[in-house]
Amino acid sequence: MPGAKDDYRNASLAVEDRARDLLARMSMEEKVAQVGSVWGPDLLEGERFSAEKAEPTLAQGIGHVSRLGTATTLRPGNLASVTNEIQRYILEKTRLGIPALLHEESCAGLTTRDATQFPQAIGLASTWEPDLVESMAGVIREEMLAVGARQTLAPVLDVARDPRWGRSEETFGEDPYLVGRMGVAYVKGIQGPSLSDGVAATGKHFLGYGAPEGGMNWAPCQLPRRELLERILPPFEAAIHEAGIATIMNGYHEIDGVPCGASKELLDDLLRGELGFDGPVVSDYLTLVFLMIYHRITEDRGEAAARALEAGLDLELPRLDFFQDLPAAIEAGRIEEAVLDRSVGRMLRLKFELGLFESPYVDHGPAAEAFSRQDSLDLARKIGGKSCVLLKNDGVLPLSREISRITVIGPNAASVRHLQGGYHYPTHSEPQFGPIYDGEPPPDAPSAFSGDFLAGAVDPNLDLKALLPPTVTILEGIREAVTPETKIVHVQGCDIQDPDTSGLDEAVEAARGAEVAVVVVGCRSGLLKGYSSGEANDSAGLRLPGAQSDLVRKVSATGTPTVVILISGRILVLSEMVEGPDAILQAWVPGQEGGHAVADVLFGEVNPAGRLPVTMPRAPGQLPLYYNHKPSGAFSQFHGDYADLPASPLYCFGHGLSYTSFEYRDLEISSPEVAAGDLLEISCVVKNVGERSGDEVIQLYVRQPNTRVTRPVQELKGFTRVEVMPGRERRVRFMLDIRHFAFYDTDMRFVVEPGSVEIMVGASCQDIRLRGEARIVGERTEVSRADIPPTSVRLD
């Protein structure tokens, strides 16, 4: 063991000095270990740490331990104990005693047993309330710290440009400004005031992963450089410059023939050179393997390892595999040892910043106390209610709690499993555990992934449903909301995927005798083959799967007032059923408090104010379709519409209804002329002219026409969610930095160009209530992206 005089153990020294001292002491084998990882269950025998299994893997130490909680069924106390045993083994049995860094997933809640499961990210974005995301991330941070996990592979900062892509539910939507605001909030919440007391966030997936060909996972991204820099990069940039995000993850896809995991242009020149990011870049799982067998740009393991490391990839996940060939690649002259030292140094600095050398252990006794606390569940319920988007309402909502008879229909009405997305626990672990169903598995149920790279330490006799967190279904939420005298009839009607229509007649008959029929339909998210949403489950048709559209149409045709609740992380094409029901509520994938959250909205306890963070198309043939298109986009020359459909979306970005009404007036713009670097104050009055208290999401859009390169017809540059009491009003003031109008000119310089600009304030990108103008004066001015602050908002 090292002595007390070792500088790297001296906490009073600067991180750089400690990392430099430690790196100088390391052998080649110890360096390689630090840029690798071990799959957590590989260190276990059952649910206990196995020194015998650990010895060959941890002999030289290890950089990361991958998903010890996600890939097992360990409860918090046991998980913390196993974490301590792993760290103790490394500290006591390896020469240098470098603690390991344990990472987990936490897109919508920590993916470990008993952790709080919040709404999926697409629902978080629909709140348009970053403070809620920061609060949620703070809960996740506390739960992770309690079990010794110090890095999370979140948030997803991809701008989702195609809803066919199954991973859209993990994103904050289609707009770079909204994604950036939500992403910054998440990073601040998860990392806390200081990394020494926080969890390292990982922004993913760099860069352009959310715009794949055909909406298919891992497909090439065909966006040109200007589009990448202006529309896709900003969320990553905001997370780096505003929140100090600790790590970045590459995307699986390629851009212009170069896979991101081997792209020096992206990972070194752009990310480190232009953006100034100085933390580690971690590989998405099996990135190096796929350079060889999927992208086919290398002939052997050593070449893949050398290319990735030289491009700027610092850590191989989920296991140390191809990076084991680095010593041979260095010996053969394929890569310099200094490049390996660069990556090892980055990994060591992060561990020092996290305080792992001073505090490698956690107190396992009270670990469970941090999990699923009542205040955490209350927050999950609050976020769930605020995430609901009321797409349509012909006056049937809100419902009365004293309703005499209500029929609840649909495959998602009584489901616990379907309230979880692909990145919740335990659904994210189905590749290890096998599929989890509410009832008996269907005969054609998918199985767990083949092979052993994701093998988990799971008892084959385990009741998988027991892993689901205590969850309130939509049916249960409704039951709790109504009076004891209300008669509730529940009929499933059909399955999620199965096209069988034999149960529809029973559902129709049950609906006929009700005051209202609530039809709960949607998708089943997950990673296994055959699901209707989630990673690698992309959709060409975007329609409700199975017989669900028929169910909605037939129930709506009974004449009974019908409310449709969509439980789906995927944007669905609703054109074939939108005219039938009286109300449609998009509830996304609301997590374990979903039933309470939806019932709160149905019965008026919560006045819905969620807004779409994406554009909802009329048909898949319109895709890609997004609001911030160029002047020549989103319509056909010269008739405008398609021959068979309108070119406009079914529901636009920012859309969402309320149980009250708001009036906008008195737009004020602080100056008719501004220059680059000036602040422009834009204010208006918003008044609640209805009879209910409610939230309004005020959205600020801008446009600059007549520039040297084409610019979007609209760009979101500010927003705020404001509660206004009936008859009351608030003045909302946006402080917009003129550099938000900057763009890449014909010489690819980032400039503010003089000329007139349009200011738009409204309730959605289409529902613009107030318009004004200003003029940018002076010379064309080159500016720095890093210096542009977000638009601040003040309420009077």
Side-chain angles (χ1 to χ4, degrees), residues 447-729:
S447 61
F449 282 177
S450 60
D452 66 354
F453 90 91
L454 286 176
V458 180
D459 182 349
N461 300 314
L462 179 71
D463 177 9
L464 298 180
K465 292 189 290 293
L467 301 179
L468 291 163
T471 301
V472 180
T473 67
I474 308 301
L475 178 62
E476 290 167 342
I478 291 172
R479 281 180 174 150
E480 290 185 32
V482 298
T483 66
E485 291 73 31
T486 300
K487 182 175 182 181
I488 299 177
V489 177
H490 171 232
V491 179
Q492 181 168 316
C494 66
D495 187 45
I496 285 282
Q497 308 277 121
D498 195 332
D500 179 29
T501 60
S502 60
L504 299 191
D505 289 344
E506 180 188 10
V508 167
E509 189 61 31
R512 291 188 195 278
E515 278 190 65
V516 66
V518 176
V519 187
V520 192
V521 292
C523 292
R524 175 184 175 91
S525 294
L527 281 74
L528 295 184
K529 184 177 176 59
Y531 291 175
S532 47
S533 183
E535 187 169 359
N537 283 302
D538 311 309
S539 173
L542 293 180
R543 68 185 301 275
L544 275 169
Q548 294 182 86
S549 290
D550 292 333
L551 176 68
V552 171
R553 284 197 299 268
K554 286 181 175 291
V555 172
S556 299
T558 63
T560 299
T562 303
V563 178
V564 170
I565 300 172
L566 297 171
I567 304 295
S568 171
R570 176 185 298 290
I571 281 291
L572 297 166
V573 169
L574 305 178
S575 301
E576 60 186 19
M577 52 148 277
V578 70
E579 297 301 326
D582 299 275
I584 303 175
L585 185 70
Q586 177 80 59
W588 307 108
V589 188
Q592 70 182 101
E593 282 292 306
H596 282 146
V598 169
D600 287 343
V601 173
L602 289 180
F603 294 95
E605 184 68 23
V606 169
N607 191 341
R611 300 291 185 263
L612 287 178
V614 287
T615 300
M616 186 173 284
R618 297 177 185 272
Q622 292 178 277
L623 299 174
L625 181 66
Y626 35 86
Y627 87 94
N628 51 357
H629 57 81
K630 297 297 183 67
S632 60
F635 66 95
S636 177
Q637 289 291 352
F638 45 83
H639 293 303
D641 289 331
Y642 292 98
D644 54 350
L645 274 179
S648 60
L650 183 63
Y651 295 114
C652 70
F653 176 82
H655 170 74
L657 304 177
S658 171
Y659 296 154
T660 189
S661 300
F662 296 90
E663 176 186 271
Y664 289 58
R665 59 177 172 80
D666 296 345
L667 177 67
E668 294 182 359
I669 299 175
S670 60
S671 175
E673 294 188 347
V674 287
D678 287 349
L679 288 177
L680 187 65
E681 182 178 300
I682 302 157
S683 72
C684 69
V685 172
V686 176
K687 182 177 181 179
N688 185 339
V689 296
E691 298 179 354
R692 289 175 175 266
S693 177
D695 292 358
E696 177 72 339
V697 179
I698 301 102
Q699 303 165 39
L700 171 66
Y701 296 90
V702 302
R703 179 190 182 196
Q704 184 176 13
N706 305 317
T707 51
R708 296 196 179 194
V709 298
T710 60
R711 303 291 300 131
V713 296
Q714 283 176 300
E715 293 181 277
L716 181 73
K717 291 300 181 182
F719 62 88
T720 187
R721 182 168 177 155
V722 182
E723 182 179 11
V724 187
M725 303 296 287
R728 303 294 295 274
E729 61 186 36

Side-chain angles (χ1 to χ4, degrees), residues 69-202:
T70 306
T72 69
T73 60
L74 291 167
R75 303 205 99 120
N78 290 338
L79 180 56
S81 294
V82 171
T83 298
N84 284 343
E85 290 184 76
I86 292 171
Q87 297 288 31
R88 184 172 295 107
Y89 182 92
I90 292 173
L91 294 175
E92 295 180 355
K93 301 294 185 180
T94 63
R95 185 176 74 90
L96 295 172
I98 305 171
L101 181 51
L102 279 74
H103 73 256
E104 299 286 358
E105 299 275 5
S106 66
C107 177
L110 176 58
T111 52
T112 64
R113 195 169 182 182
D114 297 336
T116 313
Q117 302 303 302
F118 294 91
Q120 270 286 6
I122 195 71
L124 300 176
S126 298
T127 68
W128 289 61
E129 194 165 347
D131 287 349
L132 288 176
V133 176
E134 185 170 349
S135 296
M136 178 202 73
V139 171
I140 297 171
R141 180 183 75 244
E142 292 175 8
E143 293 182 349
M144 292 189 73
L145 290 174
V147 296
R150 300 300 302 278
Q151 181 171 341
T152 178
L153 305 186
V156 173
L157 298 175
D158 299 314
V159 175
R161 297 293 288 267
D162 195 322
R164 293 174 296 183
W165 183 46
R167 300 195 73 172
S168 295
E169 70 179 47
E170 301 170 44
T171 76
F172 295 123
E174 73 178 41
D175 178 77
Y177 188 81
L178 179 62
V179 175
R181 293 300 89 219
M182 295 296 177
V184 166
Y186 186 100
V187 175
K188 287 182 176 179
I190 203 78
Q191 294 191 170
S194 169
L195 272 183
S196 61
D197 299 310
V199 171
T202 305

Side-chain angles (χ1 to χ4, degrees), residues 37-327:
S37 53
V38 58
W39 185 243
D42 289 351
L43 303 177
L44 305 183
E45 187 67 52
E47 291 192 342
R48 299 182 64 85
F49 172 71
S50 169
E52 182 178 346
K53 285 189 172 184
E55 195 280 329
T57 303
L58 303 183
Q60 304 297 329
I62 199 71
H64 267 237
V65 176
S66 300
R67 301 203 311 191
L68 184 63
T70 306
T72 69
T73 60
L74 291 167
R75 303 205 99 120
N78 290 338
L79 180 56
S81 294
V82 171
T83 298
N84 284 343
E85 290 184 76
I86 292 171
Q87 297 288 31
R88 184 172 295 107
Y89 182 92
I90 292 173
L91 294 175
E92 295 180 355
K93 301 294 185 180
T94 63
R95 185 176 74 90
L96 295 172
I98 305 171
L101 181 51
L102 279 74
H103 73 256
E104 299 286 358
E105 299 275 5
S106 66
C107 177
L110 176 58
T111 52
T112 64
R113 195 169 182 182
D114 297 336
T116 313
Q117 302 303 302
F118 294 91
Q120 270 286 6
I122 195 71
L124 300 176
S126 298
T127 68
W128 289 61
E129 194 165 347
D131 287 349
L132 288 176
V133 176
E134 185 170 349
S135 296
M136 178 202 73
V139 171
I140 297 171
R141 180 183 75 244
E142 292 175 8
E143 293 182 349
M144 292 189 73
L145 290 174
V147 296
R150 300 300 302 278
Q151 181 171 341
T152 178
L153 305 186
V156 173
L157 298 175
D158 299 314
V159 175
R161 297 293 288 267
D162 195 322
R164 293 174 296 183
W165 183 46
R167 300 195 73 172
S168 295
E169 70 179 47
E170 301 170 44
T171 76
F172 295 123
E174 73 178 41
D175 178 77
Y177 188 81
L178 179 62
V179 175
R181 293 300 89 219
M182 295 296 177
V184 166
Y186 186 100
V187 175
K188 287 182 176 179
I190 203 78
Q191 294 191 170
S194 169
L195 272 183
S196 61
D197 299 310
V199 171
T202 305
K204 59 187 190 184
H205 308 80
F206 203 80
L207 182 69
Y209 189 42
E213 283 183 354
M216 302 191 76
N217 201 39
W218 296 16
C221 169
Q222 300 291 4
L223 296 179
R225 183 171 176 81
R226 180 180 284 106
E227 189 75 359
L228 277 172
L229 296 180
E230 290 183 354
R231 317 305 300 159
I232 307 300
L233 183 64
F236 291 91
E237 192 166 38
I240 292 167
H241 295 148
E242 293 181 49
I245 194 168
T247 69
I248 296 290
M249 176 183 283
N250 69 281
Y252 283 120
H253 60 295
E254 67 169 78
I255 297 178
D256 197 22
V258 182
C260 296
S263 175
K264 184 178 184 299
E265 181 182 4
L266 285 180
L267 302 183
D268 196 22
D269 298 345
L270 176 59
L271 180 59
R272 301 193 187 280
E274 293 189 39
L275 299 190
F277 178 71
D278 61 0
V281 175
V282 305
S283 80
D284 207 339
Y285 280 17
L286 301 177
T287 287
L288 278 74
V289 178
F290 295 130
L291 293 180
M292 187 170 76
I293 69 171
Y294 179 71
H295 293 292
R296 302 179 184 180
I297 64 166
T298 66
E299 293 186 358
D300 57 54
R301 295 163 49 95
E303 183 184 358
R307 287 192 62 175
L309 191 75
E310 190 161 35
L313 206 64
D314 299 309
L315 176 72
E316 183 179 17
L317 299 178
R319 285 190 175 101
L320 178 58
D321 187 0
F322 279 35
F323 271 2
Q324 290 184 95
D325 288 32
L326 284 173

